[in-house]
Amino acid sequence: MTKTKPTLVVNVSLAGADRDYDERVTFLHRPFRIVRVGTNGDVETAEAFVEQWAEEAAAIAVTGIREARAAGLYDGELAAVERVMQATTAVPVTDGHALLDVLQEWAIRHVQTEMPGFFNNARTVVLGGVNHDRTTRILREYTQNLEFADPLLRLDLPAKVDSKPVLGMAAHAGMWPIHKLPRQVKSKVNAPGQRLSNALARRAARDCDVVVATYDELIGFGLEDLAGKTLVSSAISDERLEDLAARGVDMVLDTTPQPFPVTVSAAVLEALMLATVAGAGRLTNDDLLDMIIDAGLEPRVLYPNGQKRKSRFAFVIHPLSQKFFSNVEPLGTISRVTPPLVMDAVEKALAYAPPFVYSHVTGIKSPTGAEAEGWLISVGGTPKELMAHSPEFTYARLLMAAETARKLGAQVMGLGAFTKVVGDAGVTVAKKAPLPITTGNSYSASGALWAAHEAMLQLGLAEIDDQGRLRGKTMVVGATGAIGSVCARLLALSSDELWLVSPETAKLLALKHDIERGDPRAEVHVAATPDGHLGDMDLIVTATSGAGKRVLDITQVKPGCVITDVARPLDLSAEDVAKRPDVLVIESGEIELPGEVRMKDIGLPPGVVYACMAETVVLALEGRYETFTVGRNIEWEKVKEIYKLGLKHGMKLATISGVNGVFSADDLARIREVALEARGQDLAATP
């Protein structure tokens, strides 16, 4: 039985000859011999090779002119490749454009499907030119943050010309005089625009998330530090992947499948397809689909430094009072030398200031390997000023912050402190913002009771059963609010008696009825004010939007009571807390982020953030770029979900802290001793 002679397909490349090969392979169930011959940028030699190989080959692929230019092997016109392709009509000659368009689009959509939101708002730099046209068109569906080295792509001219043929004819006519200039003169005409585009692209590349380039374009452009970046490229060999690993690349998306022992281009794959279709000058869409599926071709997602995913978030903060101005210069200096009356005017003026980036947050790393970076974006209004304006005033500033976040590449944005209280608690902002929004209230509710439970355990004065439930009385002040209502539902399951306190009578009755429908463990009571019941409570959660107004009389609280203050600004001032050394007043559960976190001071220990910010970080680490918590009705299922996701990604309850900082073991022992003395109990007699 005679052996079938392999069909010959030749790749004539204008790039270097160092990657030449002569290999026998099987493709689409047929034997092939594939040969690559490089010409080191010599167009005449390439034309001669096409004529020569046309006598034997079933199809020819012509490639490498852009790579040759990037490598410094060729400085002529890109249009010269047409001469090479027209050197023969005896066999099909292709540059792979038809298949390349399909592969480029498929690769981007494949990653976006497998890792939803991956390219959302990604800061992207595109090197090269129209060879990346389809890639950039699809990326525009997910991000506006694109920067180009090619002036034509910067203006999106290829897409505009394709969509408007008249514009294409006008552009061709307008460029006709330049096309007729000698090459040396033409290069001088084009040089200023190209230099400007290169300079802009090089600056953007320092902070970008995604680079779109062939390997030769990357080397020619001189990008050395690619740490943490994703490269969208093609035909990446094992040797080149090792080099990219050394440059710190996180992920390589190779748009060209590699079914053979040698690395081939999309043009070679298209030439192989042409060689299987008798008399085919071109491939139909059906041909491409059938052969792609039959050959099992798929984009390659490669992780040269191990599989990881890095997400991006933003979080909106604002000054809680005038004293926070000292964290930002020149306001810090101004506040130290300016009379209080003038600072009041400064406070009013700053409410109108545009948002600014207060801090870049880096070093967040989950035990799963996922990483996140983010930006703290500050709006200027204090709670006093935000409350003095209409909700629309704050919405406008939050939408400006969201636009800043989009340009930075954030995939999800959280609202902090009073920005999530104003108006409809994030609903309007979420509808209008260019990225998903969360208030973080689900994790705030979870973190508040997490901290309360831990504080009660450490204080050791309340009875807690083996399931972690409190054998005692609890109260939620501000129970009808977003966080307060969830805290109430949780405490109804984990305490004996629960008091719901709020001036919103109708909402309070509705909340009581709703909780009781769930057959809670606790007996539920309601009150418009906390007075008269404070002396019986073992645990109190304050979750009002009082903006510093007095919400309870701490002098009436039971000795040894634990108060968790969820509100921002805090419901209880340092002066109030100082009145009761026998009461443990803690701030809501702050969360310690995983990794070696680096960011500017936000008034908490290093690496520790408010739970609402931690929710934003958890969503980023999980790749859940979605509007998670908005509005005043927090879903119980989301509270449980974000708590579990937080544990998955290494979130820890931070050391218990209050208005004067972290509580030490000695601090807790002292509070316990004074509380027992106030109760008239013997320290040794308590558990």
Side-chain angles (χ1 to χ4, degrees):
M1 184 174 179
T2 59
K3 205 169 185 179
T4 304
K5 182 180 179 182
T7 303
L8 176 63
V9 168
V10 176
N11 176 198
V12 176
S13 174
L14 282 104
D18 55 312
R19 294 169 56 207
D20 285 354
Y21 52 75
D22 187 338
E23 194 82 17
R24 280 170 169 72
V25 299
T26 299
F27 185 71
L28 293 171
H29 318 294
R30 292 178 52 177
F32 283 92
R33 177 188 171 205
I34 53 174
V35 175
R36 181 189 186 276
V37 287
T39 68
N40 298 306
D42 190 326
V43 174
E44 287 73 20
T45 300
E47 289 182 75
F49 277 161
V50 168
E51 289 185 64
Q52 173 187 331
W53 285 102
E55 297 176 8
E56 304 177 53
I60 296 175
V62 175
T63 62
I65 193 163
R66 290 181 179 276
E67 289 78 2
R69 174 183 274 188
L73 299 173
Y74 175 71
D75 63 356
E77 291 296 318
L78 296 176
V81 75
E82 296 296 331
R83 296 203 333 255
V84 179
M85 294 181 64
Q86 293 167 8
T88 184
T89 57
V91 296
V93 180
T94 181
D95 61 359
H97 186 74
L99 181 59
L100 186 64
D101 275 357
V102 175
L103 295 177
Q104 286 185 350
E105 179 170 348
W106 185 18
I108 300 298
R109 297 199 187 283
H110 171 74
V111 169
Q112 190 74 2
T113 300
E114 292 296 312
M115 294 179 275
F118 186 87
F119 291 112
N120 289 9
N121 292 335
R123 297 162 296 176
T124 303
V125 171
V126 182
L127 308 182
V130 292
N131 53 322
H132 303 299
D133 179 43
R134 182 58 66 93
T135 297
T136 56
R137 289 197 205 187
I138 306 308
L139 282 172
R140 286 183 194 275
E141 295 180 16
Y142 308 116
T143 178
Q144 299 176 44
N145 299 328
L146 284 97
E147 195 67 58
F148 299 91
D150 188 320
L152 296 180
L153 286 180
R154 180 180 296 278
L155 300 173
D156 197 20
L157 287 184
K160 292 174 181 175
V161 166
D162 283 354
S163 63
K164 298 178 181 179
V166 174
L167 179 62
M169 289 187 287
H172 182 75
M175 293 296 291
W176 179 81
I178 294 178
H179 286 315
K180 294 300 180 182
L181 292 172
R183 179 161 54 85
Q184 293 83 354
V185 177
K186 194 186 307 182
S187 64
K188 292 181 180 179
V189 171
N190 293 331
Q194 187 63 62
R195 282 198 298 270
L196 175 61
S197 281
N198 281 352
L200 292 172
R202 197 178 301 280
R203 185 178 65 183
R206 291 196 299 268
D207 300 318
C208 75
D209 308 300
V210 177
V211 177
V212 179
T214 66
Y215 181 84
D216 293 293
E217 288 166 349
L218 198 66
I219 300 304
F221 205 75
L223 290 185
E224 294 294 332
D225 184 8
L226 298 170
K229 302 186 191 307
T230 291
L231 173 66
V232 180
S233 193
S234 60
I236 298 298
S237 66
D238 290 344
E239 295 78 15
R240 291 181 169 184
L241 190 63
E242 288 180 13
D243 177 61
L244 294 172
R247 293 168 185 259
V249 172
D250 271 4
M251 187 180 97
V252 176
L253 174 56
D254 189 345
T255 61
T256 307
Q258 297 299 327
F260 310 130
V262 292
T263 304
V264 297
S265 64
V268 171
L269 294 175
E270 186 173 321
L272 288 165
M273 293 176 178
L274 285 167
T276 65
V277 182
R282 59 182 294 274
L283 298 169
T284 66
N285 288 338
D286 283 334
D287 291 334
L288 286 170
L289 283 170
D290 289 344
M291 292 190 217
I292 287 171
I293 293 171
D294 194 18
L297 302 181
E298 287 189 355
R300 299 196 304 160
V301 181
L302 309 170
Y303 297 95
N305 288 300
Q307 188 165 352
K308 64 176 71 173
R309 179 172 184 171
K310 189 173 185 178
S311 299
R312 305 171 299 279
F313 69 91
F315 187 72
V316 179
I317 60 174
H318 68 93
L320 298 180
S321 65
Q322 288 185 14
K323 74 174 186 179
F324 283 80
F325 295 161
S326 62
N327 292 339
V328 180
E329 291 296 342
L331 288 177
T333 301
I334 293 172
S335 65
R336 287 191 290 273
V337 299
T338 303
L341 195 61
V342 177
M343 283 307 300
D344 289 343
V346 171
E347 180 180 359
K348 289 181 180 294
L350 283 174
Y352 293 86
F356 67 94
V357 177
Y358 171 68
S359 177
H360 187 198
V361 184
T362 60
I364 301 171
K365 186 170 183 178
S366 163
T368 66
E371 298 180 13
E373 68 169 326
W375 297 267
L376 302 183
I377 301 174
S378 180
V379 294
T382 60
K384 173 184 172 183
E385 288 303 314
L386 294 180
M387 294 297 289
H389 291 83
S390 68
E392 288 71 25
F393 176 86
T394 303
Y395 296 163
R397 272 130 197 90
L398 292 178
L399 291 172
M400 291 169 64
E403 182 60 20
T404 299
R406 179 196 67 76
K407 291 178 179 177
L408 289 168
Q411 294 155 301
V412 62
M413 185 175 88
L415 306 181
F418 233 69
T419 65
K420 62 182 177 182
V421 174
V422 172
D424 54 18
V427 174
T428 296
V429 175
K431 287 178 180 177
K432 297 182 178 181
L435 75 171
I437 300 295
T438 188
T439 61
N441 280 342
S442 293
Y443 212 16
S444 290
S446 173
L449 296 188
W450 190 4
H453 181 265
E454 184 64 25
M456 298 191 80
L457 284 176
Q458 292 194 30
L459 199 58
L461 293 176
E463 182 183 350
I464 296 175
D465 66 20
D466 54 3
Q467 296 183 41
R469 297 177 302 190
L470 171 66
R471 309 298 303 184
K473 299 180 181 182
T474 60
M475 175 184 285
V476 179
V477 183
T480 53
I483 297 175
S485 62
V486 173
C487 288
R489 295 176 195 278
L490 289 167
L491 288 174
L493 299 172
S494 57
S495 64
D496 293 336
E497 189 174 325
L498 170 64
W499 281 85
L500 308 177
V501 178
S502 172
E504 299 177 304
T505 307
K507 288 184 178 180
L508 201 60
L509 290 171
L511 176 63
K512 179 179 185 292
H513 176 70
D514 194 38
I515 290 175
E516 289 177 334
R517 284 194 310 166
D519 192 23
R521 175 171 171 266
E523 183 180 346
V524 182
H525 307 276
V526 293
T529 63
D531 303 334
H533 310 288
L534 292 172
D536 298 326
M537 297 301 118
D538 297 292
L539 170 65
I540 300 172
V541 176
T542 68
T544 76
S545 302
K549 296 177 183 176
R550 186 171 177 268
V551 299
L552 61 81
D553 183 358
I554 196 170
T555 64
Q556 300 300 312
V557 172
K558 174 182 179 180
C561 177
V562 172
I563 302 176
T564 300
D565 193 342
V566 183
R568 293 296 179 273
L570 295 169
D571 280 331
L572 296 169
S573 67
E575 292 76 14
D576 282 335
V577 174
K579 296 174 183 177
R580 292 299 302 271
D582 58 341
V583 172
L584 177 58
V585 182
I586 65 173
E587 298 184 1
S588 62
E590 280 73 46
I591 303 297
E592 182 180 343
L593 299 178
E596 298 179 1
V597 182
R598 294 174 293 279
M599 67 178 174
K600 287 185 180 178
D601 179 25
I602 58 170
L604 295 173
V608 175
V609 300
Y610 297 111
C612 50
M613 178 174 166
E615 177 172 307
T616 313
V617 175
V618 169
L619 292 173
L621 289 170
E622 184 66 12
R624 294 275 294 274
Y625 316 121
E626 61 189 68
T627 296
F628 192 78
T629 310
V630 293
R632 305 202 181 278
N633 296 317
I634 302 175
E635 298 174 35
W636 169 231
E637 290 302 319
K638 287 190 173 180
V639 176
K640 292 192 292 184
E641 182 182 15
I642 201 69
Y643 173 73
K644 291 177 181 176
L645 289 175
L647 294 179
K648 170 184 173 181
H649 289 291
M651 301 289 163
K652 298 178 182 177
L653 184 67
T655 50
I656 297 173
S657 61
V659 292
N660 296 313
V662 175
F663 286 105
S664 66
D666 289 342
D667 293 330
L668 295 173
R670 187 162 46 251
I671 293 171
R672 172 185 165 87
E673 183 178 353
V674 176
L676 287 172
E677 184 178 334
R679 290 182 182 185
Q681 291 179 251
D682 185 357
L683 182 65
T686 59

